[in-house]
DNA sequence: TATTGTTATACTCTATAACTATA
DNA sequence: TATAGTTATAGAGTATAACAATA
């Protein structure tokens, strides 16, 4: 039901896709530079720290940290290791489940987050928010929120359950 | 120079930003898997091939290829080298400017594009287009188009592979 | 047995700087 | 001198598979 018939997108749909890719790519690239310059953080590292910062106690289990940030376990272990070595997080066995590891934000972690945040916000405002009027920002938030919710509800899986477009050729 | 005063974003603005990052990240990751499985292509390689496919004669100069795809010259040389080795493009000195290199799509390059396209389109439709109604897709295309145009007009001063942004601060 | 996380390893990609050659 | 592109190289990140420990 997905891509059996001749798949195509009209110009508007294609335009939305291409614009999304180009905008997010450039925005992310610029933010990455800012994070690297100011805090020596990669974007993934920032996302992990920010996720911890959102948690009431600054703690989260590895698995819960992975969410939309990283796509493999070992990748998360690697990044968490770097953050721990930098002193931004600690890792300890989870109290309730000895298999799990609880990652906790340190004071130094909160510091680097605070140091990095203003410039981060500045980039996002300059590149994404300022060029738009209020109504467009609201529209963008709503529409992309819809897409995000659908993605979360239907995890795209590793393209495994997806049909092998054995089309022409 | 841009935002020195206390920078902040309200929840809607932050929501637009986070949704953009999450959606584009997941979309790109899924597309990358499809491209890899079906055609053995990375996303960047696909973008380069697709750019060539858009050109009337299937040719373009290296510099023109770089546009929103790659952020360093050497990175482009690397990817173009891979594509050449795979037989998807040829490289030859530009006729008009002996310093330049003209990259040209081969028949094999067109083949792999054609082989990869249906599934690519399918992913984009499943993940981005189908969850939205027509008006939302149009809105998304328009708003992101606005942002993209601003980004192109005001290159974020470091992601400019062509000009040498000298005179920092 | 299934799940959580780590390790080892190999690979891809990126970026800086030095270099060649054309303009 | 400035521009177009390549090369060398080094580093960051990712993914897969084998592994240990716990549930």
């Amino acid at each position: 039901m997905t891509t059996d018939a001749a798949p195509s997108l009209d110009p508007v749909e294609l335009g939305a896709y291409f614009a999304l890719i180009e905008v997010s790519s450039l925005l992310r690239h610029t933010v990455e530079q800012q994070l690297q310059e100011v805090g020596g953080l990669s974007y993934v590292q920032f996302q992990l720290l920010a996720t911890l910062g959102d948690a009431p106690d600054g703690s989260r289990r590895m698995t819960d940290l992975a969410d939309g940030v990283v796509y493999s376990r070992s990748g998360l272990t690697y990044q968490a290791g770097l953050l721990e070595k930098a002193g931004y997080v600690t890792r300890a066995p989870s109290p309730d489940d000895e298999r799990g590891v609880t990652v906790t934000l340190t004071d130094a972690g909160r510091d680097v987050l605070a140091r990095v945040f203003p410039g981060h916000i500045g980039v996002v405002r300059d590149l994404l928010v300022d060029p738009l009027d209020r109504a467009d920002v609201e529209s963008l938030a709503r529409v992309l929120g819809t897409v995000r919710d659908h993605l979360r509800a239907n995890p795209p899986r590793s393209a495994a359950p997806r049909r092998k477009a054995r089309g022409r050729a």
Side-chain angles (χ1 to χ4, degrees), chain A residues 27 30-32 34-35 38 43 46 50 112-131:
Chain A
L27 178 58
T30 308
V31 166
E32 259 167 2
Q34 186 269 332
L35 291 173
V38 177
Y43 195 79
F46 169 76
V112 73
L113 262 185
R115 214 161 59 237
V116 131
F117 220 71
H120 187 139
I121 293 298
V123 170
V124 173
R125 190 163 55 183
D126 288 350
L127 270 50
L128 181 67
V129 173
D130 277 356

Side-chain angles (χ1 to χ4, degrees), chain A residues 30-50:
Chain A
T30 308
V31 166
E32 259 167 2
Q33 289 184 321
Q34 186 269 332
L35 291 173
Q36 193 63 51
E37 281 175 18
V38 177
L41 296 175
S42 72
Y43 195 79
V44 168
Q45 287 159 13
F46 169 76
Q47 283 182 296
L48 296 177
L49 292 180

Side-chain angles (χ1 to χ4, degrees), chain A residues 128-149:
Chain A
L128 181 67
V129 173
D130 277 356
L132 300 175
D133 61 34
R134 180 64 188 181
D136 283 348
V137 174
E138 287 173 354
S139 169
L140 190 63
R142 183 183 56 76
V143 173
L144 287 178
T146 300
V147 177
R148 181 202 53 210
D149 293 344

Side-chain angles (χ1 to χ4, degrees), chain A residues 24-154:
Chain A
S24 64
S25 177
L26 199 49
L27 178 58
R28 177 153 175 163
H29 188 255
T30 308
V31 166
E32 259 167 2
Q33 289 184 321
Q34 186 269 332
L35 291 173
Q36 193 63 51
E37 281 175 18
V38 177
L41 296 175
S42 72
Y43 195 79
V44 168
Q45 287 159 13
F46 169 76
Q47 283 182 296
L48 296 177
L49 292 180
T51 302
L52 291 175
D54 275 346
D57 56 349
S59 288
R60 218 152 242 194
R61 284 192 51 171
M62 290 287 279
T63 300
D64 302 328
L65 260 184
D67 250 12
V69 177
V70 146
Y71 300 104
S72 75
R73 288 163 178 274
S74 62
L76 179 55
T77 296
Y78 170 75
Q79 294 292 347
L82 291 183
L83 290 175
E84 186 181 43
K85 184 151 41 176
Y88 297 150
V89 305
T90 57
R91 281 188 290 183
S94 300
D96 46 310
D97 185 340
E98 282 287 325
R99 293 173 306 181
V101 167
T102 295
V103 184
T104 304
L105 195 58
T106 65
D107 288 343
R110 292 192 190 279
D111 283 353
V112 73
L113 262 185
R115 214 161 59 237
V116 131
F117 220 71
H120 187 139
I121 293 298
V123 170
V124 173
R125 190 163 55 183
D126 288 350
L127 270 50
L128 181 67
V129 173
D130 277 356
L132 300 175
D133 61 34
R134 180 64 188 181
D136 283 348
V137 174
E138 287 173 354
S139 169
L140 190 63
R142 183 183 56 76
V143 173
L144 287 178
T146 300
V147 177
R148 181 202 53 210
D149 293 344
H150 277 257
L151 290 176
R152 285 182 178 172
N154 305 31

